[in-house]
């Protein structure tokens, strides 16, 4: 006779078996002491279980809920701040760093090898060897030859094409002043300066700005904006990389006219024509004409930027006279570079062809004015596919537009702050305060920030919480309907 | 005893409203919390904390550590949300986290000696009129918790779901992500282990 299984006995002990099973179990238990003993153990276990589950579960105490909620909110806030940083930091694992270093070394080696001209050794079969000639000297093996030194990077110079209330290289900035690598140009309040870079690019500093020419090499031009704003007119050239570094933000030109503005709280990049790459610790993004981005508090927000000329609103920059700026802009409206005396050291300057429009961009490396005079049939053209700007950037317009954009930005920041206030009021149960604030927020015109949709959902959620707390079911359902919409 | 197999109202899924019946109502919040929206995680906590509390209370009883366990459960949920793809129900996942946090606590409590200085929890439950009955209930709860702490995590998890929280094998199958037949066989072995553990503990308790 086989014993009853533990499962059968467990079910029998709970009277969960049907009549047939129960009769079978009783019949077996009557004659089986082992199964009786097991059944008794099961009854004890099930009895303890039933007794333990007898008291009802108390409600979660309010104080406990709030304490845990506060602790979790802190952790969630810290995590949301860390998430961008950790994502960026996670990219730089030791293995990836080693791979990048190896790749860089290989690329540098390949670049050096390609740029080094091949030694002009006579081929052995081309040398007539006389039988009585002394034996040719034996060349040492290639490994014994000293490695040729890497050619030092060729440092170029920039020049100032116009300046007002500006200083360069620790002295007053003057027109046609030559600037070496590492030089800084600083404009005072109400001042401005236009620089010409060695590749023909132009950089215009607005009032109260500071710019350093960090690198001026043939293959690489790097400007560092410490404060203020700089307008760039840059032709895209494959033979050099032009970047503007503004704090954590690195802007790489893709053939464009763009503006970089920096203050203590944000870096703003606006693109007038073409496109730029904007790299931040949070990632890289291409910004096209008519768009702008602002980097602040670890986030990159998109803004609208009107690429066309703006209305002639007065420049609102403190200490800047619109009439003064307009006056300084005037020379820039004339064809550039023609009437300006250029420094003799300028390495890549060339007179424009008489029949062509005023040449704005520098010629490719290797072509000089002497080349044109020697070969009159040679036509000098700007690089292929480089869009020529129809109209020069005006510093006055830029000041005005940047001021408008800053106001939009400040408005959005305040709007985001009010979202936090609403959430805080709802958190502490102050619905009498939270609901009117939420209503006012929802009735304000949106700023056009990319975050606007998320803020709206948060505000609606807080309103929903308050309605549910106050038992306003119909209004809560309406908010749910709004939240369910994408 | 049949009451044990009934799904208590405490753990019944929330009554779906018109909107919530279509999708997991917590899915949007969980996705937003995964993407670093701290307010979304706060809202997720506020909407699920009562359920989490009930699960934890059923597993560990009226312990002074319940507050810490509640916080630990949500911290684990916060970490787990990084890999959340919106395919599973958040409440189901949260229940599983709570059950595992509770069982881990029972095991760690078994390994460390009782601390007589433990403060009385502020959520000890309603006072009963019969002190003798209250003592029996407390003794039984301790016995069940000790027995659970001796069981393997897989068996204890299924046993808690079925015999403490009242879930059906089909629901447990979804929660622990394994076939229903596996749940049934695991439950049978869990009951055997539980019975043996209770017998052993009672014998040890009655020994001089």
């Amino acid at each position: 006779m086989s014993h009853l299984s533990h499962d059968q006995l467990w079910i029998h002990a709970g009277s969960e078996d049907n009549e047939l099973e129960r009769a079978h179990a009783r019949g077996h238990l009557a004659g089986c002491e082992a199964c009786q003993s097991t059944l008794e153990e099961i009854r004890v276990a099930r009895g303890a279980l039933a007794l333990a589950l007898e008291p009802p579960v108390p409600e979660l105490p309010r104080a406990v809920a709030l304490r845990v909620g506060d602790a979790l909110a802190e952790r969630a806030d810290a995590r949301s701040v860390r998430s961008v940083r950790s994502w960026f930091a996670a990219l730089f694992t030791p293995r990836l760093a080693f791979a990048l270093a190896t790749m860089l070394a290989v690329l540098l080696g390949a670049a050096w090898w390609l740029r080094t001209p091949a030694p002009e050794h006579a081929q052995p079969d081309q040398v007539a060897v006389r039988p009585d000639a002394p034996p040719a000297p034996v060349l040492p093996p290639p490994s014994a030859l000293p490695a040729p030194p890497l050619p030092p990077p060729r440092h170029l110079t920039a020049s100032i094409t116009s300046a007002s209330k500006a200083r360069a290289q620790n002295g007053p900035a003057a027109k046609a002043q030559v600037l070496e690598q590492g030089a800084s140009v600083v404009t005072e309040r109400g001042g401005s300066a236009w620089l010409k870079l060695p590749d023909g690019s132009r950089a215009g500093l607005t009032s109260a700005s500071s710019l350093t020419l960090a690198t001026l090499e043939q293959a690489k031009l790097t400007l560092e904006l410490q404060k203020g704003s700089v307008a760039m007119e840059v032709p895209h050239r494959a033979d050099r990389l032009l970047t503007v570094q503004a704090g954590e933000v690195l802007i790489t030109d893709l053939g464009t006219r763009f503006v970089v503005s920096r203050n203590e709280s944000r870096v703003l990049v606006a693109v007038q024509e073409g496109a730029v790459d904007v790299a931040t610790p949070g990632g890289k993004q291409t910004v096209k004409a008519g768009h702008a981005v602002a980097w602040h508090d670890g986030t990159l927000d998109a803004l609208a930027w009107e690429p066309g000329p703006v209305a002639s609103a007065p420049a609102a920059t403190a200490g800047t006279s619109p009439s003064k700026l307009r006056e300084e802009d005037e020379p820039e409206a004339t064809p550039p570079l023609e009437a300006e005396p250029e420094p003799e050291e300028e390495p890549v300057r060339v007179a424009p062809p008489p029949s062509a429009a005023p040449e704005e961009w520098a010629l490719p490396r290797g072509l000089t004015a002497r080349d044109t005079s020697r070969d009159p049939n040679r036509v000098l053209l700007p690089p292929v596919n480089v869009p020529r700007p129809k109209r020069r950037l005006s510093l006055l317009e830029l000041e005005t537009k940047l001021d408008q954009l800053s106001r939009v930005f400040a408005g959005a920041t305040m709007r985001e702050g009010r979202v936090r206030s609403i959430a805080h009021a709802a958190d502490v149960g102050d619905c009498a305060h939270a609901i009117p604030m939420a209503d006012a927020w929802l009735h304000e015109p949106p700023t056009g920030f990319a975050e606007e949709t998320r803020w709206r959902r948060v505000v609606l959620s807080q309103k929903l919480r308050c309605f549910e707390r106050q038992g306003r079911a119909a209004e809560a359902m309406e908010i749910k309907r709004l939240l369910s919409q994408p | 005893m049949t009451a044990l197999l009934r799904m208590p109202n405490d753990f019944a899924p929330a009554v779906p409203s018109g909107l919530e019946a279509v999708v997991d109502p917590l899915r949007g919040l969980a996705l937003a919390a995964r993407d670093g929206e701290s307010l979304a995680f706060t809202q997720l906590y506020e909407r699920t904390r009562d359920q989490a509390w009930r699960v934890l209370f059923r597993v560990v009883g009226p312990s002074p550590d319940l507050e810490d366990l509640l916080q630990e459960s949500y911290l684990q949920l916060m970490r787990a949300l990084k890999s959340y793809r919106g395919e599973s129900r958040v409440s189901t996942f949260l229940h599983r986290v709570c059950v595992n946090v509770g069982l881990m606590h029972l095991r760690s409590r078994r390994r460390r000696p009782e601390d007589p200085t433990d403060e009385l929890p502020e959520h000890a439950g309603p006072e009963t009129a019969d002190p003798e009955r209250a003592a029996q209930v407390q003794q039984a709860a301790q016995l069940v918790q000790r027995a659970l702490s001796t069981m393997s995590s897989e068996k204890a998890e299924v046993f808690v779901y079925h015999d403490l929280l009242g879930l059906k094998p089909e629901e447990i199958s979804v929660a622990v992500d394994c076939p229903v037949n596996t749940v049934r066989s695991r439950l049978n072995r869990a009951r055997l282990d539980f019975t043996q553990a209770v017998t052993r503990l009672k014998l040890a308790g009655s020994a001089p």
Side-chain angles (χ1 to χ4, degrees):
Chain A
M1 180 182 63
S2 61
H3 292 292
L4 293 174
S5 70
H6 187 274
D7 192 41
Q8 285 174 304
L9 289 170
W10 180 279
I11 291 171
H12 182 71
S15 305
E16 295 154 12
D17 45 2
N18 58 34
E19 286 297 327
L20 195 63
E21 290 168 337
R22 196 172 304 131
H24 171 69
R26 279 179 183 159
H28 177 84
L29 284 165
C32 180
E33 286 187 6
C35 286
Q36 283 176 21
S37 169
T38 307
L39 180 64
E40 190 54 36
E41 289 174 359
I42 289 173
R43 281 191 172 133
V44 170
R46 291 198 67 150
L49 201 54
L51 209 51
L53 292 175
E54 193 174 88
V57 178
E59 289 295 318
L60 170 61
R62 175 95 182 137
V64 173
L66 289 177
R67 279 198 300 268
V68 174
D70 287 346
L72 290 172
E74 278 182 22
R75 295 288 289 264
D77 283 340
R79 181 172 164 261
S80 64
V81 170
R82 272 199 317 266
S83 58
V84 172
R85 292 182 190 158
S86 60
W87 176 86
F88 188 70
L91 293 177
F92 293 93
T93 57
R95 191 177 295 179
L96 181 66
F98 178 75
L100 286 176
T102 308
M103 194 184 300
L104 189 65
V106 168
L107 285 176
L108 283 175
W112 173 81
W113 185 77
L114 287 173
R115 290 173 68 95
T116 306
E120 295 177 358
H121 293 304
Q123 295 300 318
D125 55 351
Q126 292 173 341
V127 178
V129 181
R130 290 185 305 177
D132 57 342
V138 178
L139 285 174
S143 58
L145 288 171
L150 281 173
R154 185 180 163 201
H155 292 294
L156 305 178
T157 56
S159 60
I160 296 175
T161 55
S162 71
S164 166
K165 290 189 183 177
R167 296 176 67 80
Q169 291 180 325
N170 301 321
K175 196 170 181 180
Q177 182 179 351
V178 175
L179 302 173
E180 303 282 348
Q181 176 172 296
S184 293
V185 180
V186 180
T187 55
E188 300 171 10
R189 281 185 177 274
S192 66
W194 275 101
L195 314 181
K196 186 187 173 203
L197 304 180
D199 68 335
S201 305
R202 286 157 38 85
L205 268 78
T206 62
S207 145
S209 301
S210 174
L211 182 81
T212 301
L213 306 173
T215 310
L216 294 180
E217 294 173 3
Q218 281 186 342
K220 187 180 178 188
L221 299 173
T222 306
L223 310 183
E224 286 178 5
L225 180 67
Q226 282 82 31
K227 65 170 183 174
S229 308
V230 60
M232 301 293 301
E233 289 188 354
V234 183
H236 182 62
R237 294 173 57 144
D239 59 343
R240 66 98 180 86
L241 177 72
L242 189 145
T243 54
V244 179
Q245 181 84 49
E248 294 178 308
V249 184
L250 181 71
I251 302 102
T252 306
D253 93 278
L254 300 175
T256 181
R257 296 200 292 172
F258 64 98
V259 184
V260 185
S261 176
R262 179 186 182 188
N263 65 17
E264 298 81 11
S265 59
R266 58 109 180 93
V267 174
L268 194 145
V269 182
V271 182
Q272 187 87 353
E273 279 182 17
V276 295
D277 274 346
V278 177
T280 65
K284 191 174 178 182
Q285 184 175 336
T286 299
V287 184
K288 295 183 177 170
H291 296 276
V293 289
W295 170 257
H296 69 107
D297 299 332
T299 58
L300 194 66
D301 288 315
L303 301 161
W305 174 263
E306 179 60 46
V310 294
S312 58
T317 309
T320 306
S321 156
S323 58
K324 177 67 181 167
L325 275 172
R326 196 183 300 280
E327 182 187 323
E328 287 158 12
D329 282 342
E330 287 305 318
E332 300 301 325
T334 60
L337 304 182
E338 288 187 320
E340 295 165 357
E342 295 288 348
E344 290 183 358
E345 296 82 352
E346 185 63 46
V348 288
R349 177 167 22 92
V350 62
S355 58
E359 178 55 281
E360 194 167 17
W361 316 124
L363 292 169
R365 184 163 53 87
L367 290 182
T368 64
R370 199 164 23 168
D371 294 330
T372 24
S373 58
R374 199 167 47 200
D375 183 3
N377 294 325
R378 187 167 187 178
V379 179
L380 296 179
L381 293 173
V384 181
N385 295 332
V386 174
R388 295 173 60 83
K390 301 178 185 67
R391 185 168 171 274
R392 277 288 169 92
L393 284 173
S394 156
L395 291 185
L396 169 62
E397 287 179 358
L398 284 178
E399 294 263 10
T400 310
K401 289 179 75 170
L402 283 172
D403 180 60
Q404 288 171 348
L405 204 60
S406 293
R407 288 181 191 176
V408 170
F409 185 78
T413 308
M414 288 177 63
R415 195 160 158 77
E416 185 183 18
R418 282 200 293 280
V419 174
R420 291 186 186 281
S421 302
I422 293 164
H424 180 69
D427 274 344
V428 298
D430 188 4
C431 290
H433 190 209
I435 291 176
M437 275 203 299
D439 286 337
W441 192 96
L442 290 166
H443 281 95
E444 285 174 8
T447 58
F449 256 47
E451 291 287 287
E452 189 74 37
T453 310
R454 188 175 68 81
W455 296 341
R456 186 169 180 274
R457 289 188 69 81
V458 172
V459 170
L460 285 172
S461 305
Q462 302 309 317
K463 214 173 156 186
L464 174 63
R465 281 171 66 191
C466 287
F467 283 156
E468 284 177 340
R469 274 185 201 151
Q470 294 177 346
R472 296 157 71 174
E475 287 154 303
M477 186 55 75
E478 175 61 18
I479 300 284
K480 278 184 185 175
R481 190 187 62 76
L482 289 174
L483 282 171
S484 69
Q485 293 170 357
Chain B
M1 200 56 75
T2 44
L4 285 178
L5 299 178
R6 191 165 40 83
M7 188 170 183
N9 287 333
D10 289 350
F11 307 105
V15 178
S17 65
L19 172 68
E20 293 170 349
V22 182
V23 291
D24 182 359
L26 302 174
R27 183 176 178 273
L29 284 177
L31 288 172
R34 179 199 65 183
D35 295 339
E37 217 174 289
S38 55
L39 278 176
F41 190 81
T42 305
Q43 288 177 7
L44 188 65
Y45 164 72
E46 287 172 354
R47 291 178 65 171
T48 55
R49 64 191 180 193
D50 290 328
Q51 294 173 37
W53 170 262
R54 290 181 198 120
V55 172
L56 284 168
F57 190 92
R58 275 296 177 225
V59 179
V60 301
S63 162
D65 299 324
L66 266 175
E67 182 175 337
D68 291 341
L69 297 179
L70 185 65
Q71 186 171 331
E72 175 60 25
S73 300
Y74 277 93
L75 289 177
Q76 288 201 13
L77 178 70
M78 191 186 292
R79 285 191 284 271
L81 278 178
K82 286 178 188 170
S83 56
Y84 177 66
R85 297 192 303 274
E87 291 166 1
S88 52
R89 284 186 76 85
V90 178
S91 55
T92 305
F93 185 74
L94 175 64
H95 284 188
R96 191 172 189 193
V97 169
C98 292
V99 168
N100 285 325
V101 166
L103 289 173
M104 287 290 291
H105 174 72
L106 293 181
R107 285 190 203 105
S108 66
R109 202 167 65 179
R110 181 167 63 98
R111 284 194 290 270
R112 72 167 191 256
E114 294 256 350
D115 185 359
T117 63
D118 272 355
E119 294 176 12
L120 275 176
E122 49 188 299
H123 38 71
E127 292 288 329
T128 53
D130 185 357
E132 192 179 344
R133 181 70 176 172
Q136 285 176 348
V137 167
Q138 189 184 358
Q139 204 174 358
Q142 285 176 355
L143 188 63
V144 169
Q145 287 155 18
R146 283 182 195 158
L148 283 175
S149 70
T150 62
M151 294 163 68
S152 75
S153 57
E154 279 185 346
K155 292 178 194 167
E157 186 180 39
V158 172
F159 186 80
V160 166
Y161 270 129
H162 191 272
D163 288 283
L164 270 70
L165 305 184
L167 265 64
K168 295 171 185 166
E170 292 77 14
E171 294 166 323
I172 301 171
S173 159
V174 174
V176 301
D177 194 21
C178 70
V180 180
N181 285 337
T182 308
V183 170
R184 289 204 174 96
S185 63
R186 204 177 280 174
L187 182 61
N188 290 341
R189 292 198 301 275
R191 284 167 169 172
L192 176 61
D193 285 2
F194 179 75
T195 308
Q196 289 173 347
V198 168
T199 307
R200 199 167 50 247
L201 287 166
K202 292 231 14 139
L203 282 175
S206 61

